[in-house]
Amino acid sequence: MEKTFDPREVIEEFELLSKDAERVQTETLRKILEENGGAKYLQKWGLDGRTDPESFKACIPLVSHNDLEPYIQRIVDGDTSSLLTGKPITTISLSSGTTQGKPKFVPFSDELMESTMQIYRTSFAYRNREFPIRNGKALQFIYGSKQFKTKGGLAAGTATTNVFSGSPYKKTMKAMQSSCCSPDEVIFGSDFYQSLYCHLLCGLIFWDQVQVVSSTFAHSIVHAFRTFEQVWEELCADIRVGCLTSRVTVPSVRTAMSKLLKPNPELADRIYEKCMGLSNWYGLIPELFPNVKYIYGIMTGSMEPYLKKLRHYAGELPLLSADYGSSEGWIGANINPKLPPEAAAYAVLPNIAYFEFIPLRENVMSQIQDNSESTFSSMEPKTVGLTEVKVGEEYEIIFTNFAGLYRYRLGDVVKVTRFHNATPELQFVCRRNLLLSINIDKNTEKDLQLSVEAAAKLLAQEKLEVVDFTSHVDLSTEPGHYVIFWEISGEAIEDVLKECCNCLDRSFVDAGYMSSRKVNAIGALELRVLKRGTFHKIIDHYVGLGSALSQFKTPRCVGTNNREVLQILCNNVVQCYFSTAFG
Ligand code: AMP
């Protein structure tokens, strides 16, 4: 495939698929149900070999991960009968778990691998038309997690690990002229910080060949260059003498790096001069890597809060958001790379899954009542098909794929921005679950983000920034109140932080929240400032649980049941303020 990769052909293929989206969807469902008709799950619901959308929707219920967990657990434990799919599931993905609190198992399959490659190829073809790259390398901040065998002997790893370690990935990257600078030993190294250090080192060694700086989620790029600020002199020293710092201890990583690292005092001088010449690290990326054409990674949704810092490091370089998907399966490709990340939308590939959408406007009441993870108990909302969605409307997304998920509620809310031929382009809005709710107040991740953005403007006047943030509903006081945790880039004076705290409180404009605050049915919002490095500790915690950094998303709300993370947060509070915004 790598020899015959022709972006024009890929575009042509997507044009045909998207023009014929309705038929392709029906066909895709038919294929999925034919291949998996013998699965006990489908038989249980009486589908009886039928493959048309109407029978499918009438028989099979909408489900969340919780509903499928007993089936998945049996597969994980070694049940090889056809539970969810016709042919046995041999690989399991461990989702990042940062959106749900705990990692969850989902089936992985060759078809998922292939659809991942299709998404990569498709967005690349459109991207390369606007931002062509030649033969070169990509500085990719990607990290494999440990792969292990489940009790039943299935291979398990995070979805990104399953993808990165497969041969189709390498072939596709090569075909896209974006082979990773770093050797596999670095990507799959057992110590995340050592891998990050070596990624930076590899990028610097191949500095003039690097054309793209990327990661799965943009957070990893910001995190990498924040780390660069701390370790750049050590990197220079390694390059000068051609010898890796003794802080990198993993033997396989040391061996792999020793093959790349040669004494290069000129390069060390060059990096030193560049770094000394920068003002507050503005434009660091193009300064280090002058041939980079763009920065690439998922930049929407919970990645938006990192865009400001990313722009700072990127200087004038374009930021291009990568595609939209999940461990459970891919959804859409970014085929309008020129749009800024804030406006990025993803065109759905109609042949990778069968998609349905729950219109949120009509289902507002049921959505509010149904904040539980299980959907069996509630009245089933009505869905519309891929080609029936309307521009401007918001939907919860549902999919049925080749890997044993049927009418699966991913938990994401999307907005249709326009159609590309007959397939919609979706903007990611937020996770469906409410984040902060005490009584009649309802605030989502997006509401929290907007409130933090508003208050961060006050900090910006002091030349300070919010490094990262999360929240918690504290019901241990009467009445309960919202707690916002902030890690800040430096020391802010008390008056500014008090103002930030009031601003956070005032910026939750949800009517339920404001009215509850006015009558003190919700207590004053509390801002807790954290020690520098607290969010690193949280990353370490998730990595320790088996999550891969590549898929890490800071949990934006930490519940009391997420005891360890809450403990890390509470143990690292250095200052705390209560809002006086409501008197
Ligand atoms: P994971 O648990 O790592 O599989 O993460 C999947 C989730 O990440 C999705 O359900 C979304 O909530 C989020 N996500 C993935 N891609 C994007 C994107 N392009 N924009 C915003 N959020 C995304």
Side-chain angles (χ1 to χ4, degrees), residues 95-99 104 217 298-302 321-328 346 410 412 428 431 551 553:
S95 87
S96 63
T98 36
T99 47
K104 43 183 189 183
F217 286 94
I298 293 173
M299 296 176 189
T300 42
S302 58
S321 185
D323 309 310
Y324 174 34
S326 66
S327 305
E328 290 90 329
Y346 306 97
L410 181 62
D412 286 350
F428 180 87
R431 299 282 305 166
Q551 278 168 259
K553 302 164 213 71

Side-chain angles (χ1 to χ4, degrees), residues 414-434:
V414 295
K415 183 176 184 172
V416 179
T417 52
R418 57 176 213 146
F419 274 81
H420 180 84
N421 298 321
T423 203
E425 290 187 13
L426 309 176
Q427 210 161 45
F428 180 87
V429 177
C430 61
R431 299 282 305 166
R432 176 182 63 110
N433 285 352
L434 294 173

Side-chain angles (χ1 to χ4, degrees), residues 267-530:
L267 178 57
D269 286 344
R270 180 184 172 276
I271 300 165
Y272 192 86
E273 273 160 32
K274 295 275 180 198
C275 289
M276 294 307 281
L278 289 173
S279 158
N280 195 23
W281 303 101
Y282 177 81
L284 172 62
I285 299 176
E287 205 57 37
L288 294 176
F289 311 108
N291 295 319
V292 165
K293 303 286 182 299
Y294 52 84
I295 315 283
Y296 188 64
I298 293 173
M299 296 176 189
T300 42
S302 58
M303 295 299 123
E304 275 177 32
Y306 308 108
L307 282 177
K308 196 164 167 231
K309 191 70 182 172
L310 192 55
R311 283 212 165 89
H312 183 82
Y313 287 134
E316 301 292 309
L317 281 172
L319 303 185
L320 275 56
S321 185
D323 309 310
Y324 174 34
S326 66
S327 305
E328 290 90 329
W330 283 94
I331 296 162
N334 180 1
I335 60 167
N336 301 300
K338 281 198 153 163
L339 288 179
E342 288 82 355
Y346 306 97
V348 179
L349 269 63
N351 68 334
I352 57 178
Y354 179 71
F355 295 97
E356 294 173 67
F357 297 84
I358 302 176
L360 288 184
R361 210 188 288 174
E362 285 163 31
N363 288 288
V364 176
M365 283 323 288
S366 64
Q367 188 218 0
I368 288 171
Q369 281 152 13
D370 173 28
N371 194 29
S372 71
E373 277 297 304
S374 175
T375 49
F376 277 147
S377 53
S378 56
M379 261 236 316
E380 187 148 295
K382 266 212 154 43
T383 64
V384 296
L386 180 70
T387 53
E388 294 166 332
V389 293
K390 294 199 172 68
V391 171
E393 292 292 314
E394 290 189 0
Y395 300 88
E396 184 192 331
I397 190 160
I398 317 282
F399 61 72
T400 296
N401 70 9
F402 287 91
L405 302 180
Y406 306 96
R407 309 198 78 206
Y408 181 84
R409 297 176 84 153
L410 181 62
D412 286 350
V413 175
V414 295
K415 183 176 184 172
V416 179
T417 52
R418 57 176 213 146
F419 274 81
H420 180 84
N421 298 321
T423 203
E425 290 187 13
L426 309 176
Q427 210 161 45
F428 180 87
V429 177
C430 61
R431 299 282 305 166
R432 176 182 63 110
N433 285 352
L434 294 173
L435 209 59
L436 295 163
S437 180
I438 290 178
N439 49 50
I440 53 163
D441 52 314
K442 285 172 185 56
N443 284 302
T444 63
E445 175 171 350
K446 187 86 195 174
D447 300 315
L448 171 66
Q449 184 193 322
L450 292 174
S451 163
V452 169
E453 267 171 22
K457 286 198 181 120
L458 302 173
L459 268 192
Q461 290 167 8
E462 308 295 309
K463 305 232 171 323
L464 290 169
E465 54 185 311
V466 178
V467 173
D468 220 332
F469 64 93
T470 188
S471 67
H472 172 66
V473 171
D474 187 350
L475 298 176
S476 67
T477 55
E478 182 54 51
H481 68 283
Y482 291 6
V483 178
I484 312 292
F485 292 94
W486 268 10
E487 185 176 324
I488 304 176
S489 59
E491 296 247 322
I493 53 171
E494 228 179 270
D495 283 352
V496 174
L497 288 170
K498 274 187 194 157
E499 233 354 272
C500 287
C501 182
N502 288 345
C503 179
L504 283 166
D505 204 6
R506 267 195 308 264
S507 303
F508 285 106
V509 290
D510 160 59
Y513 182 74
M514 295 206 301
S515 57
S516 299
R517 282 289 290 118
K518 279 180 197 149
V519 298
N520 203 35
I522 294 180
L525 180 143
E526 185 182 353
L527 169 62
R528 296 188 194 163
V529 180
L530 299 164

Side-chain angles (χ1 to χ4, degrees), residues 98 193 469-470 485 487 530 533-545 549 552-555 558 562 564-569 572:
T98 36
Y193 286 103
F469 64 93
T470 188
F485 292 94
E487 185 176 324
L530 299 164
T534 305
F535 281 94
H536 275 183
K537 291 184 187 157
I538 291 174
I539 291 180
D540 288 343
H541 166 79
Y542 279 104
V543 171
L545 287 183
L549 244 288
F552 181 78
K553 302 164 213 71
T554 298
V558 178
N562 197 350
E564 280 141 332
V565 175
L566 196 56
Q567 200 72 54
I568 299 174
L569 290 165
N572 285 282

Side-chain angles (χ1 to χ4, degrees), residues 35-46:
E35 271 179 30
N36 300 300
K40 288 190 181 132
Y41 181 78
L42 292 178
Q43 286 177 354
K44 168 188 159 177
W45 294 109

